Amino acid sequence: MRKIKKIHSAEYRPIADLVTYSPMPTRSLQMIDPFLFLNHHGFQTYSAHNNGLPFGPHPHRGMETVTFILEGDIMHKDSSGHESVIGPGGVQYMTAGKGLIHAEVSSSEFKKEGGDLEILQLWLNLPASKKMMAPNYIGLQKEEIPTFDLDNGKIQVQQLFGEWNGTKGAFAGTFPITMSTVYLEEGAEFTKEIPEDENIFFYIVRGKLDVNDTPVPFRNLVEFQNSGSTLNIKALEDSILILGHALPFNEPVVAQGPFVMNTQEQIYEAYQDYQEGKFGNWKG
């Protein structure tokens, strides 16, 4: 079995009135190449006439975002002309590439009516050869994402990237990556083989799992060694897991604010390009 290196608890980092936890980066874990950053917003319930999500227009370059909407909704708008509102069970995939400006806010309906909210955003690095590629965005509702069952229907898997159990993912990644959202009923169990040279992203959103004979509760990220290939997962409670794996890039990473590049000089260039309006025109 794949050996566990360390279990990292998400740190509480509220943003305005938005409940937020983050297991990476922290003082104990900078990144799991090529997985850079995770924010776990919620679970919380908003009252009617709320301000919604606080992420107004801001730039990005050199990375990608994968946004998981478990409860509530998120309205995406960017300087490349993409716009959508994605609801519960849906996923957004944005490639910042050479640069764009985007906003991630709640729909007018959610701000008026309120309701439950739980949203996670994962940042993926881009390899040096693709950091200046054209930006892109795809938002899919729950029913548009391929799914399959395991353990006689006790487990439902949303396949986002790559292939698992003969099911191809909803998104064609910019580099080889496999990623799924896994919903498990208490008592469910699955085994997955992952090549030793691939790094694993393993974050428990809800519930509690037995991970290779180690019990791990929700809001924890499991960091694995690159030894052994088998994951054996048992649900000790009804649970939700984000599971991804990919080969590391093994490239320098210089991250500053919304930009993720390979050198400090490239970071300076990103700020200059943004100030000079090269990230597209924002139309509010």
Side-chain angles (χ1 to χ4, degrees):
M1 290 194 293
R2 180 75 76 113
K3 293 182 179 179
I4 293 175
K5 183 176 181 180
K6 192 170 183 180
I7 297 170
H8 302 269
S9 295
E11 296 180 355
Y12 182 50
R13 299 176 185 170
I15 303 171
D17 63 349
L18 179 62
V19 171
T20 302
Y21 292 85
S22 181
M24 184 177 75
T26 64
R27 284 167 291 184
S28 66
L29 179 66
Q30 282 301 303
M31 62 180 287
I32 298 176
D33 187 5
F35 306 96
L36 295 171
F37 169 95
L38 179 73
N39 261 352
H40 181 176
H41 306 298
F43 179 91
Q44 68 189 100
T45 302
Y46 276 81
S47 61
H49 307 294
N50 62 80
N51 294 321
L53 295 168
F55 305 112
H58 58 280
H60 284 294
R61 173 179 279 183
M63 38 70 74
E64 303 184 304
T65 61
V66 183
T67 307
F68 307 79
I69 301 92
L70 300 185
E71 305 288 348
D73 67 28
I74 185 167
M75 182 172 72
H76 170 100
K77 184 176 183 180
D78 66 47
S79 56
S80 294
H82 304 106
E83 187 171 349
S84 71
V85 177
I86 302 299
V91 176
Q92 298 176 327
Y93 174 44
M94 185 192 78
T95 301
K98 65 181 180 181
L100 86 172
I101 302 166
H102 77 153
E104 301 161 297
V105 297
S106 301
S107 68
S108 56
E109 180 181 0
F110 185 87
K111 287 190 283 187
K112 179 182 177 182
E113 302 293 337
D116 295 339
L117 183 141
E118 188 167 21
I119 292 172
L120 299 94
Q121 185 168 94
L122 173 65
W123 289 18
L124 303 175
N125 199 6
L126 280 172
S129 61
K130 295 188 175 182
K131 283 194 177 293
M132 297 299 284
M133 68 183 291
N136 192 37
Y137 168 83
I138 301 172
L140 298 179
Q141 306 291 0
K142 178 180 179 180
E143 59 271 16
E144 298 177 288
I145 299 172
T147 64
F148 64 88
D149 293 339
L150 296 171
D151 196 4
N152 298 312
K154 295 178 184 176
I155 298 173
Q156 185 178 69
V157 179
Q158 280 189 321
Q159 194 60 21
L160 305 179
F161 297 88
E163 185 173 336
W164 183 10
N165 201 43
T167 300
K168 293 185 178 180
F171 305 104
T174 57
F175 59 90
I177 183 173
T178 302
M179 185 178 294
S180 315
T181 311
V182 187
Y183 297 79
L184 307 96
E185 297 179 9
E186 182 178 350
E189 182 175 357
F190 74 89
T191 298
K192 187 174 187 185
E193 299 294 322
I194 298 174
E196 287 190 0
D197 57 352
E198 294 192 11
N199 286 346
I200 297 174
F201 180 85
F202 190 106
Y203 182 74
I204 302 174
V205 181
R206 296 183 190 172
K208 186 176 184 180
L209 299 177
D210 183 292
V211 184
N212 287 358
D213 297 328
T214 300
V216 184
F218 75 114
R219 292 200 191 118
N220 277 273
L221 185 150
V222 180
E223 181 186 10
F224 291 91
Q225 298 180 19
N226 291 95
S227 60
S229 59
T230 304
L231 290 186
N232 184 251
I233 310 301
K234 301 173 186 176
L236 304 176
E237 302 172 359
D238 290 353
S239 301
I240 300 176
L241 165 70
I242 297 175
L243 175 59
H245 51 95
L247 287 170
F249 298 160
N250 295 319
E251 297 177 347
V253 174
V254 181
Q256 190 170 323
F259 307 133
V260 183
M261 303 301 291
N262 300 110
T263 68
Q264 188 64 50
E265 183 181 5
Q266 290 170 340
I267 295 291
Y268 295 147
E269 290 173 356
Y271 276 104
Q272 185 174 3
D273 288 349
Y274 171 59
Q275 292 165 359
E276 293 177 357
K278 296 180 180 179
F279 280 39
N281 296 317
W282 177 258
K283 298 178 181 179

